[in-house]
Amino acid sequence: MHSSEDTASRKTEGRSIAHKLADKQQEISVTEFFEKNKHILGFDSRSKSLLMGIKEAVDNALDACEEAGILPELKVGVSKCDDDEYVVMVEDNGPGIVHKMIPNVFGRLLFGSRFHSHRQSRGQQGIGISATVMYGNMSTGKPAHIMSKVDDEDTAWMMDIIIDTKKNRPVVSNDEPFIWADKTSGTKIEYSIKGRYITGRQSIYEYLKNTAIVNPHARISFEDPEGKVHIFERATDIMPPKAKEIKPHIEGLELGDLQKMANSSAQKTMRAFLKNDFSRISDRVASEILEKAQVSENFKTANLDRLQCREIMKAVEEVKIMAPPTDCLSPIGDTLIKKGLKHVLEGMRPDYYSPPVTRPPKSVNGNPFIVEAGIVYGGEIPVDGQVTILRFANRVPLLYQQGACVITKAIESMDWRRYGLEQRGGKGIPYGPAIILVHVASTKVPFTSEGKEAVANLGEIQNEITLALRLCARNLKGHLNKKEKKKKTMAKFSIVQEILPEMAQKAAIMLDREVPNLDRTISRIMNVVWVEPSSQTSKGGLRTIQYRIFNYTSTEKSFRLHARLPRSCLNETIISDQLVDVSEEGKVTWSIERLAPSARFTLQFQLDGDMSDVFDEEDIYISGLNPAMVMGADPLPGDWSIADMDVTELENGDGDYVDDDTDDDEEEEVLEDDQ
Amino acid sequence: MTNERHEQAIHNLMEIVERIYDQLDEGAVPNMQLSLRSKKNIEFNTRENVWRYGSMLTDRNAKSIRGAQMLLRTLHMVDFIKNMVSSNKSSTLREMYYISEGWGHGKFGSQDESNLLAEDLEIVSKSLREDFKLRPEEDGARVIGDLTLIETDRKGKRKTINCRDDVGDSGYSIPYNVESEKVDLKSSGAKFIVAIETGGMFDRLVENGFDENSGALLVHLKGQPARSTRRFIKRLNEELKLPVAVFLDGDPWSFRIYASVAYGAIKTAHISDYLATPSAQYVGITASDILHYDLPTDSLNDQDIAALKSELADPRFQDDFWTSEIEAMLKMKKKAEQQALAKYGLDFVTDTYLPEKLGDMGLM
C-alpha cells in the first residue's frame, strides 16, 4: 500500500508537503463563513464544548497525518484546573505547520486548506480548530498555546494565540523557537476552556474509542482528568489509501455556490470555467449547458449573476453528465473495519463479527459516497436494552443527534426480528447484545447541520445503508443458526467424549474387567465426520489454527476442506501432504484421503502478520461428503470457485441445517400420580 | 441384615451392568428397555385384579444425552446399592440424590430423577426399592385401632405392640419397610379398616372413639399414601382378612388416591400386585353425597376440571360407578372436603354418615 513508500519519501518531499499545504491555506471571508454555516457549531452545552474542541483537533491531526502519509500517533489530555475550567491538550506527529502559518491556522476562522477541495476528509469546513481557540479565549480569557515543528527544520516554534474577533485576526505573543526533543514533526495545542467532563455515550472517551475503531492505523492515548491513561493501540500499519482530490461535480452544487465559484474563478470565460473547474464536463457538455441556459460561452465569469446561475442549474438537469468519479473516496474496507472493531471491542469478547460490508460507490446530488457497515454480536455486550449504534461520517464518530440521522432511520426501518434481534413490532431500534456500525464516506457528507452531528435523510443514502446492513444481518442470522446447531452437536460430543468413557470406566471397575474400546460405539452414535476448529494466538501475534477431524462413522471417508485465508498471512506452515491448492485470493483447499473409521487427523497451520486475526477459524467448508454427515464445517457454497467469492453472500445458507436428532430422544411422559 | 432378597436384587442389578458392559464391548449403543410408564400402557391383570404395565416399552439409549446420562447413573446407582448392602447401611432417596454429586456426568439433576430411576431399576431388576436399601424421605402414616403386631426394632429386638393400647393418641407409625421380617401381623379385633385422607378427619374419628365403638382400624393416608402405607393396608387385608373402606375428600385428586390404593398407581404399576388392594371400597365423599347430604362446596378450578377429564380417559376409571361420579362432578362443577360433614355437627360423621355409608357396603 502507500505507507512504506510515503514514509520513505516523506523526508525528501517533507518540505513540499508542509509548504504545499501552506499554499492552499487561503483566506475565506467571515461573511462567507456565516452564509455557509447557518447553524453555529456545536458549542451549545458545556460538556459538548469540551468534546467539540478535542474532536476538531483530533480530526485535523488525523487528516494531516493521512495527507503526509504518517501513521498517526495522538496524545489527548484533559485536566481540571478549576471548577468548570479544563486544560485540553492534543498532540500529533503530523507534518507540522510552517511557522508563519501557525497564527492563521489556529487564529483565524475559516482558514483552511480544504474548504475548496472536493475530497473526502474529516474536517470539511476548516472552521473547527480556530473556533475552539476562540471559544477557549472567550470562556477563560486565556490564550491557546501552540507548538509545531516541521520535519525539515531543526527548531520548533511555540506561541500563544488569542483571536481578535472583530477583525478575525490572530494576536500572537511569546513567539519563540525551541528545540523539541525527540520530535521529528508534529503539532501540539493546549488551551483552557470552560466545560463539563462527562462519561458515557457522549464522552470524550467514547469519541476516541470510536475514532480508534475506524482508524485502526492510529495510536491514540488519552489521559482523563483523574490522571488515568487509556491507550488505543494501533491495530494495523496499513494507511488508508490517500483520497484523491477531485473537482466538484456540478450536479451537487447549490445556486449560491455556483455563483461564488464563478465570480472568484481564475477562468475568464464561462466555457473555460465549466470545463476546467468541474469534473466530468467536456467542451461539448459545456457548450450544451451554456446554450440551453442562454449564456454566452465567452461571458465573463466575474459578471455571472444569480439569474444566469439559475438558468445554468436548470440546464444542468437536462444535460446528461457522467456521474462523478469515485476514486476520491477512501472507504475503510471490510478487513480494516473488522480489524478496528476487533481491536477496540476485544474487551467485550464478542461472539461474532459479521464480515463488514463495503458497498460500491454511489452518488447523491453530484457527490460520490460509499456506505460501509458491520455488526458485532454477543459476548459481554449487554443483552437487555437497545443495540448500540456507532455512526461515522468520513471516519469521524457521530455522537450527537442519533435520532435525526439517516443511519438511525435506516436501522429503525428494517425488520430485525428476521435476523435474530428483538424489535417491538418490527420497527424502531432493535434490542439485544449487538453493536451496529455504519460509516458514510463522501466528498461532501450531507449533514443535517453545520455541527456535523447527523447525516441528512436522503433516500439514496438510506437505501445503501439498508443494503449493507441487510447483508451483515443475514450473516448474523447465519451465525446464530450455526450456534444453535453447534449446541446440539456439543451435546452429542459430550456423550461420546465424556459420558460414554465414564460409563465404560465405571462398568469395567464394577465387573473387574478391562475398559472396553469405545470406537465402534462412538461411530454408531455420532455417525458423522466431525471437524473441530480451534485457534491460539501467541504473544507475538502468531496465530495457530487447528482443525481436528474425527471420522465418527463406520466407513472410510475421503473429502476436501476449504478455507479462505488472508493471503498476506500465509507462510510455509500451510504446506502439508493434504494441501491441494492455494488460490490468488487465499482460498486454500486440502484433501483428506481415506480417513479410517474412528481415526482422527489434525490439520494445523499458522498465520502471521497484521491481518491474521481477521480469519475466523469457524469459516471452514467441506466438500465430497453428504452435509448431513458432517459436523463443524459448512457445505462448500456453490459459488466458491467462481472468481472472488464473497463468503458473506450465503443467501440460501440461512437455516437449512439438517437436524439429525429427531428420533433419539426417549419418550417423556408425565407420570400422573405420586409415590 | 443382608438377606436373600437383597442378594437377589444385587444379582439382578449386576446383570444390567454386565449388559451395558457387553454392549460397549461389542461396539453397540448401550440401551435399556423399560415399560412405558404412562397411562397409555396400563392393563388390567385379571389374575391379580390390579392394573399393571402393559407390553409397551420405551428404549433408553446412549444416543441422546439424557439417555446416556441415565445409563451412567444406573451404573453408579447399582454400585451405590451394592456398597450399601455389603456395609449394611440404608439411605434415603434424598441422600442418594446428594451422593450423586460425585458421579460425574451421572449426577442427578433433581430429586425426582433419583426417585424415578429407583423405580426404573425395580422394573428391570424385578426387585423392590426396599431391597435396594433405599427408603423414601417420609415414613408411612399412622394407625389406631385394635391391631396387634410384632415389630423388629433397629436393635433387632422384637416388640409386641397393640395399636390401640400400646400407643399414644398419634397412633402407631408405619415404618418404611413393612415386610414380614420387620412387621409381623399377629391379630386384630377390628371388623374393617377405614383409610382416611386427612389428618383432621383421622383425629375426628379417633376423638369420637370410632375405632372402639364401631370396631374400625383407622389408617391415616396423609394424602397420596406412601408405598409402605399401601403395602401395610394390603397385608392387613390379605393376612388378617380385614375389608378396606377408603374415606377421602370429594375431588378428582382423591379419586386418584383411591385408584392407587385399590387398582395400583401408574407410576408403580410394576408392583401393583404388591401394593394394591383390589377389594378396597370407596366410601366418599362422592358427587352423590354432595347432593344427598347438601354439603358445603367449592367450585372446581381449571386444574380440577382437567384432572377429571383426564380420569375419564384413564383405563382404571372405566366402570359405571366412576364414569357417572366423574361426569356428575363435572356437571355440578363442585367439590367438597371430608370435613364439610361438620356442617351438621362434630358427631355427624361418626353417628350418621359413616354408619349409613358403611352400612350400605355391608361393613356395619
Side-chain angles (χ1 to χ4, degrees), chain A residues 479-496:
Chain A
H479 163 77
L480 293 176
N481 288 344
K482 212 165 152 181
K483 211 168 119 183
E484 189 54 38
K485 192 195 172 197
K486 197 165 175 178
K487 221 165 92 187
K488 279 191 187 159
T489 329
M490 288 317 289
K492 281 232 151 145
F493 210 52
S494 150
I495 294 174
V496 303

Side-chain angles (χ1 to χ4, degrees), chain A residues 59-128:
Chain A
D59 291 353
N60 285 354
L62 289 171
D63 271 343
C65 285
E66 222 159 89
E67 242 165 284
I70 298 170
L71 284 171
E73 182 128 10
L74 308 186
K75 281 183 207 155
V76 178
V78 177
S79 54
K80 195 171 180 173
C81 67
D82 205 351
D83 238 6
D84 55 352
E85 194 177 316
Y86 290 84
V87 175
V88 174
M89 185 279 289
V90 178
E91 180 182 339
D92 67 41
N93 63 337
I97 301 161
V98 293
H99 179 222
K100 65 167 180 161
M101 299 308 290
I102 297 173
N104 285 335
V105 170
F106 291 97
R108 281 172 79 178
L109 296 183
L110 299 164
F111 189 93
S113 60
R114 285 175 293 279
F115 190 62
H116 289 297
S117 97
H118 272 247
R119 145 172 72 182
Q120 175 189 333
S121 66
R122 296 172 181 81
Q124 273 185 332
Q125 282 81 15
I127 170 76

Side-chain angles (χ1 to χ4, degrees), chain A residues 158-170:
Chain A
M158 61 166 106
M159 63 182 72
D160 289 342
I161 296 178
I162 280 195
I163 298 177
D164 177 341
T165 43
K166 276 187 197 134
K167 293 184 189 154
N168 188 19
R169 282 290 180 272

Side-chain angles (χ1 to χ4, degrees), chain A residues 443-470:
Chain A
T443 49
K444 185 169 185 285
V445 176
F447 287 109
T448 53
S449 75
E450 289 303 337
K452 295 186 269 176
E453 288 157 349
V455 181
N457 203 343
L458 296 175
E460 292 93 333
I461 297 182
Q462 184 181 339
N463 200 27
E464 282 296 304
I465 296 172
T466 308
L467 289 173
L469 283 176
R470 224 178 256 159

Side-chain angles (χ1 to χ4, degrees), chain A residues 491 495 498 502-503 506 510-511 513-514 520-521 524-525 665-669 671-673 675, chain B residues 21-22 25-28 37 39-40 60 62 64-66 68 72 75 79 105 116 230 266-267:
Chain A
I495 294 174
E498 295 162 346
E502 281 181 35
M503 218 186 269
K506 187 75 193 171
M510 289 173 74
L511 299 170
R513 295 189 206 165
E514 264 183 49
R520 283 176 304 159
T521 303
R524 282 235 166 87
I525 291 177
D665 283 320
E666 191 179 326
E667 186 170 358
E668 293 293 329
E669 271 291 332
L671 300 173
E672 293 194 342
D673 45 18
Q675 284 291 328
Chain B
Y21 181 93
D22 291 343
D25 201 35
E26 288 158 14
R37 294 169 67 190
K39 78 177 172 211
K40 279 192 289 192
R60 173 176 296 164
S64 77
I65 196 151
R66 207 185 116 76
L72 177 59
L75 296 178
D79 197 32
H105 284 80
L116 283 172
R230 282 184 280 159
I266 293 174
K267 218 169 143 257

